[in-house]
Amino acid sequence: MKYKAIMLDLDDTTVPHGKLSAPSPRVLRAIAKAKQKIHVCIATGRPLDITLPLIDHMSLSGPCIVNHGTVIYDPVKKKVIREVFLQSASIPAIYEVCKKYNMFVLAFDGEKDAEYTGGSEDKLISMYIPQIVPSEIDAMMDAFAHVPHITAHKLTGWDKNYMRIEVTHAEASKQHGILEVSRMLGLKTEEIIGVGDGYNDFSLLMACGLKIAMGNAVPELKAIADFIAPTVDEDGVAVVIEKFILGQ
């Protein structure tokens, strides 16, 4: 198979978890070489404002999927080309789950996070529970599974003692984003390499022809991967590019 695009998760894949700094020099060199042969895109849970500096630093030209697939950004035209908002009717039900578990929740409108305490909202991209003890994460995910028209994304915490959940529209995930980007670029999904490490990268890998999990990935993601790359600290993304793109 000749691959025509690669979709890279950011945190703990292309850069260490939560770091705003650029990828390592080896990874940057590999990305620069890959861009001469294929489309290099990112698919991240980060919001656009935090992602933009890395997009610019890597000089990406492929459409970039941000905020769990709710937003697609064109780095050439420097504009958002797709946004998917929560249905207004879903918001009270999401909030009820958060209240049941006494969880602080943030509402994201595409530009800023603000604490949500109820009331009507017409245009929210996502709702975010930033600090969940691991013993409660599965029960909350199960509760969100009963709310129609949404997807709950299970995430590792910035503090390793906690987990996080971000809730988006059911048609906003990395998988939906990749399907849309493949349509824009005129590609078959089998021609795309997906690289990730976390729970929210299941949808990324399942949308791609070649599924790659980082060496530091969660065990469940490794179980569905075609190839296990070295860890983020071992420049695993560079190894993937050298093996599957520069060598093809």
Side-chain angles (χ1 to χ4, degrees):
M1 170 63 71
K2 186 174 178 65
Y3 297 106
K4 298 181 180 179
I6 186 168
M7 291 282 178
L8 299 172
D9 173 53
L10 279 182
D11 290 292
D12 267 348
T13 297
T14 307
V15 296
H17 188 76
K19 300 295 184 183
L20 300 181
S21 57
S24 72
R26 183 183 176 189
V27 170
L28 282 175
R29 287 194 298 269
I31 288 173
K33 291 178 181 178
K35 288 187 300 181
Q36 298 174 25
K37 301 186 69 171
I38 68 168
H39 300 283
V40 178
C41 311
I42 59 171
T44 179
R46 291 190 186 198
L48 182 58
D49 61 333
I50 296 176
T51 308
L52 271 176
L54 283 173
I55 293 174
D56 292 341
H57 190 82
M58 292 185 281
S59 300
L60 299 182
S61 58
C64 293
I65 299 160
V66 299
N67 209 78
H68 304 291
T70 59
V71 174
I72 298 177
Y73 176 76
D74 184 334
V76 175
K77 296 180 179 179
K78 296 190 180 298
K79 69 175 188 177
V80 171
I81 53 178
R82 181 176 186 259
E83 286 183 300
V84 182
F85 293 91
L86 285 165
Q87 291 189 9
S88 297
S90 301
I91 295 170
I94 296 167
Y95 184 50
E96 284 303 313
V97 173
C98 296
K99 286 200 300 182
K100 177 181 177 181
Y101 288 92
N102 297 311
M103 291 293 172
F104 172 82
V105 60
L106 296 168
F108 182 59
D109 63 5
E111 295 183 359
K112 63 183 185 303
D113 283 316
E115 183 180 0
Y116 184 80
T117 56
S120 60
E121 292 284 351
D122 293 327
K123 295 187 75 173
L124 291 181
I125 281 184
S126 63
M127 297 180 75
Y128 175 59
I129 304 97
Q131 192 165 298
I132 307 167
V133 293
S135 61
E136 292 188 328
I137 191 81
D138 289 338
M140 289 193 72
M141 289 291 292
D142 182 66
F144 282 128
H146 294 86
V147 178
H149 311 302
I150 69 161
T151 294
H153 306 270
K154 180 181 177 180
L155 307 165
T156 53
W158 301 115
D159 179 334
K160 295 295 186 179
N161 294 316
Y162 295 97
M163 301 289 290
R164 300 174 291 142
I165 292 176
E166 188 144 9
V167 183
T168 65
H169 190 284
E171 295 181 2
S173 69
K174 291 185 180 184
Q175 181 176 22
H176 288 92
I178 289 169
L179 293 174
E180 183 64 19
V181 167
S182 66
R183 183 192 65 78
M184 293 174 182
L185 298 177
L187 303 179
K188 299 176 182 177
T189 55
E190 308 94 83
E191 299 172 319
I192 301 174
I193 301 170
V195 189
D197 72 285
Y199 296 105
N200 65 328
D201 291 320
F202 277 89
S203 62
L204 189 165
L205 267 57
M206 294 307 295
C208 296
L210 180 61
K211 303 170 178 60
I212 297 180
M214 299 295 287
N216 51 276
V218 297
E220 296 91 333
L221 196 70
K222 289 180 178 179
I224 67 166
D226 302 310
F227 178 78
I228 309 297
T231 68
V232 64
D233 294 325
E234 298 169 315
D235 296 331
V237 165
V239 173
V240 169
I241 289 173
E242 291 159 5
K243 180 178 178 66
F244 294 103
I245 298 171
L246 302 183
Q248 71 177 5

